[in-house]
Amino acid sequence: MRVSIMVLVVLFAAGPVLAQPQPPPAAPADRPAKTPEEARIDELERQLEELGARVAELQAGEAPEKPNDEASTTSQTGPISGYMDFHLNRPQDEDPVLDFHRFVLLLNHSFSDRMRFVGEIEVEHGFVEGLEESGELEVEQAYLDFRVSRSFNVRAGMLLAPVGIINERHEPPSYFGVERPSVDTFIIPSTWFEAGAGVHGAFGAGWHYQAYLMAPLDATRITAEEGLAEARQKGFLSNARNIGQTARLEYVGLPGLTLGTSFWRGKTGFNFRREESRVGLIEFDGRYHTGPFAIRGEFAQVFIDGADHLNDFAQRTTGVNSNIARQMRGFYVEPSVRPLPKLKYDIAAFARYENFDTQFRMPAGVLPLKQFDRAAWVVGASYYPDPDVALKIDYTVIRTQSSLFRGVDSLNVGLGWWF
Amino acid sequence: MSAGFLRFGSLPFAVLLVILAAPSGSSQDRKVVKITAERFTFTPSQIKVKRGTVIEFRLRSDDTNHGFKIVGSDANLIIPKRGRGEATLIFRAEMPGRYTFECSKVCGAGHSFMRGEIIVEDQE
């Protein structure tokens, strides 16, 4: 630090000296004396040569000789990155649970500037065993990116559905709360990944788009309790009789502001003979931060065509009515503040209100169960000893509209990090 | 050399460089461009300048480390984490065209989306 200050002082002291013209040197006796203008020109030329030499010394590398529309073919392998988080969840009137929730590694390889591989492998809940209920080992991303231009690129492999805030931004320090928002679990089934292909790019000053075709959701796994959460095929021999379509448009052109909208649609009834159902999802989200204050919000609604047929068919074949709704809906708003932005060790406090109803609209003649119309208040704080490390604590209150199933409160503590 | 950049770990070096690299009477325009990196965008992500402009990029992050690489060159530096200062890079826009810049340090699931461009327009 002391050395840096000294260098700084020297450099600033040197600047004016270098910038000022020196007195012209005395003229040789055997030549006529130079005019003041000539002497000044000579001195300026000498200074220019010196400055050129200094610039060459400082120059750190070679610049592109021409616009980089021609990419290099240099192969580069990036380091392994990843994130982890583990939680202590203490629901009211229940034993606390200590869960190493996520262990995620990201792999990155560039075949060239034009072709890249990205992989993401996740172990959930720390332990995986066949047959019995256990954790999960998932390949959440494994794709090749063919980078044609800023505005048009092709991606194929295991992809993240570009829906909502959390599905593509789920590194623990990047969101508040020990657990992800419920809307991003039951209405948008994060982490939502499927095999597929599509295009993405950016245009103008801050517009981004993505559009993919991917394997559809499985209607037999939609439930009243967990919405779409278990309906993902996850690239496991995914049925592709019908292909789902998804797209996202995002605007990031103003400092601190991100606005996004996305949709997903596809036929999902491939496991029901002679039955077809179609699921559609629309979503809007926004984030804004200025100074120590930030706010984010999200709204998502699911439309299920043929929900009545799906329920009838499930009743006939399994004896259990799935109680699938024809519409689900969820939204949340989350203000936050970082009260000590000038300190090296950051602290943030937040409050989140969520409302999510997995039986928002039922098929004709079926009444919704009020226990699935839920609201959650989450109040908490994060402490960042490093911008990539978050120690989180929150208190979550979930209430339902049912008088029989009130909901639960829980105290949650978590530690998450990105590297 | 048709276009050039210089990179530094701290602002004072860049200030000095501008003093050194542009003697009085130079016709080069100078422009300071402040870019904020955040998962998974650069803001602004599109910069338009006239040919001959010397751009001084001042790069800071709102979250983790990001990279700032101008594709096709060896201009590649790390942007410090949130609250840890800024990185500076000098770019001489002397050849018209489009120069892509991108994040060169894996920063999360959407790392590949972090790209932008410098559009160098011919002087009219």
Side-chain angles (χ1 to χ4, degrees):
Chain A
M1 179 67 184
R2 187 169 295 173
V3 173
S4 300
I5 292 172
M6 290 175 62
V7 170
L8 179 67
V9 170
V10 169
L11 290 176
F12 275 110
V17 171
L18 290 168
Q20 286 176 1
Q22 299 296 311
D30 55 348
R31 286 199 296 168
K34 291 183 179 178
T35 65
E37 290 75 17
E38 288 173 330
R40 181 169 172 75
I41 288 170
D42 286 349
E43 176 55 22
L44 289 174
E45 285 178 349
R46 185 187 65 77
Q47 285 187 26
L48 195 57
E49 286 177 4
E50 283 184 9
L51 296 176
R54 294 286 301 275
V55 169
E57 287 174 7
L58 290 169
Q59 196 154 7
E62 285 302 316
E65 288 295 326
K66 56 187 174 182
N68 48 26
D69 48 358
E70 293 179 18
S72 79
T73 56
T74 306
S75 184
Q76 295 179 357
T77 300
I80 292 177
S81 297
Y83 63 89
M84 287 96 206
D85 62 1
F86 73 96
H87 308 157
L88 172 69
N89 303 99
R90 186 186 174 91
Q92 190 178 27
D93 303 327
E94 294 180 30
D95 288 340
V97 174
L98 193 58
D99 181 26
F100 199 100
H101 197 156
R102 295 185 179 89
F103 179 95
V104 182
L105 295 178
L106 277 85
L107 310 170
N108 187 39
H109 176 78
S110 295
F111 297 95
S112 69
D113 283 338
R114 285 279 169 85
M115 189 163 56
R116 296 183 179 183
F117 161 74
V118 173
E120 182 176 350
I121 300 171
E122 174 165 338
V123 177
E124 284 199 10
H125 307 298
F127 177 71
V128 179
E129 187 176 39
L131 300 179
E132 298 177 7
E133 184 177 357
S134 64
E136 296 176 340
L137 176 61
E138 300 170 337
V139 177
E140 291 196 345
Q141 293 192 86
Y143 62 78
L144 283 181
D145 237 353
F146 301 92
R147 299 156 78 97
V148 180
S149 68
R150 178 174 179 256
S151 58
F152 183 80
N153 307 277
V154 179
R155 178 172 291 188
M158 187 75 92
L159 313 175
L160 292 178
V163 180
I165 296 175
I166 292 294
N167 205 51
E168 292 182 305
R169 294 172 182 82
H170 46 243
E171 298 73 22
S174 68
Y175 63 90
F176 293 123
V178 173
E179 302 289 352
R180 298 175 181 179
S182 296
V183 174
D184 287 301
T185 302
F186 302 124
I187 309 298
I188 300 171
S190 303
T191 304
W192 190 353
F193 55 95
E194 279 295 354
V199 297
H200 64 89
F203 59 92
W207 293 94
H208 293 192
Y209 76 90
Q210 300 176 67
Y212 304 120
L213 300 175
M214 51 180 28
L217 296 169
D218 180 356
T220 60
R221 301 183 197 168
I222 300 173
T223 66
E225 175 76 26
E226 297 191 327
L228 299 183
E230 298 302 321
R232 299 160 291 173
Q233 296 195 74
K234 301 183 178 181
F236 176 71
L237 300 175
S238 298
N239 187 300
R241 187 172 82 194
N242 301 297
I243 298 296
Q245 305 109 51
T246 182
R248 177 173 176 82
L249 181 65
E250 197 169 83
Y251 177 70
V252 293
L254 295 175
L257 177 68
T258 301
L259 297 173
T261 182
S262 44
F263 81 88
W264 189 96
R265 66 190 291 272
K267 292 182 177 178
T268 56
F270 49 82
N271 274 331
F272 297 101
R273 228 182 295 169
R274 294 189 301 276
E275 292 289 346
E276 284 292 0
S277 69
R278 185 186 295 276
V279 171
L281 187 157
I282 59 168
E283 181 274 344
F284 305 93
D285 61 79
R287 290 173 287 147
Y288 180 68
H289 63 83
T290 179
F293 302 102
I295 189 166
R296 62 169 59 183
E298 184 176 86
F299 173 90
Q301 189 150 350
V302 175
F303 303 86
I304 304 173
D305 290 343
D308 48 350
H309 293 146
L310 292 175
N311 290 331
D312 289 345
F313 196 84
Q315 180 78 55
R316 289 200 306 272
T317 55
T318 67
V320 178
N321 190 315
S322 304
N323 264 332
I324 297 174
R326 65 183 173 87
Q327 288 186 32
M328 304 179 193
R329 190 188 72 178
F331 62 88
Y332 69 83
V333 61
E334 181 193 87
S336 61
V337 61
R338 293 175 185 265
L340 308 170
K342 301 296 183 187
L343 291 188
K344 183 177 179 183
Y345 305 111
D346 208 356
I347 294 173
F350 77 99
R352 181 168 68 234
Y353 172 74
E354 292 191 72
N355 190 299
F356 53 106
D357 187 353
T358 47
Q359 291 196 335
F360 181 59
R361 295 283 185 272
M362 295 300 288
V366 181
L367 290 175
L369 299 174
K370 292 186 180 296
Q371 69 210 57
F372 299 125
D373 184 359
R374 290 162 278 189
W377 276 100
V378 186
V379 179
S382 297
Y383 166 65
Y384 303 90
D386 181 283
D388 287 332
V389 179
L391 175 61
K392 304 178 178 182
I393 184 168
D394 69 55
Y395 193 80
T396 300
V397 177
I398 296 178
R399 292 289 178 269
T400 78
Q401 295 296 312
S402 166
S403 56
L404 297 175
F405 300 92
R406 176 173 167 269
V408 295
D409 299 356
S410 62
L411 175 66
N412 308 293
V413 181
L415 181 63
W417 60 93
W418 160 265
F419 67 94
Chain B
M1 191 170 67
S2 57
F5 69 87
L6 294 166
R7 55 191 172 184
F8 302 90
S10 63
L11 181 59
F13 284 94
V15 171
L16 176 71
L17 178 73
V18 171
I19 294 170
L20 293 174
S24 76
S26 167
S27 61
Q28 287 186 317
D29 292 329
R30 299 187 195 91
K31 184 173 185 178
V32 174
V33 176
K34 295 182 179 180
I35 292 183
T36 301
E38 184 180 13
R39 290 183 174 102
F40 297 102
T41 57
F42 290 108
T43 306
S45 60
Q46 188 179 61
I47 295 110
K48 290 183 181 178
V49 295
K50 294 293 184 187
R51 179 179 187 171
T53 304
V54 175
I55 308 173
E56 180 184 328
F57 287 107
R58 295 183 187 175
L59 309 156
R60 63 172 57 244
S61 170
D62 257 348
D63 42 42
T64 186
N65 281 135
H66 294 280
F68 187 85
K69 177 185 178 183
I70 298 180
V71 177
S73 77
D74 61 355
N76 188 3
L77 49 75
I78 295 295
I79 305 173
K81 296 177 184 180
R82 173 189 173 91
R84 304 284 171 89
E86 64 183 18
T88 304
L89 184 143
I90 304 291
F91 179 85
R92 281 198 206 95
E94 294 185 358
M95 177 70 85
R98 291 172 181 264
Y99 298 81
T100 301
F101 60 85
E102 63 184 19
C103 179
S104 56
K105 180 173 186 314
V106 177
C107 55
H111 162 68
S112 299
F113 295 124
M114 280 193 74
R115 300 172 85 186
E117 67 177 353
I118 308 161
I119 301 174
V120 181
E121 299 172 322
D122 227 342
Q123 296 272 17
E124 293 182 6

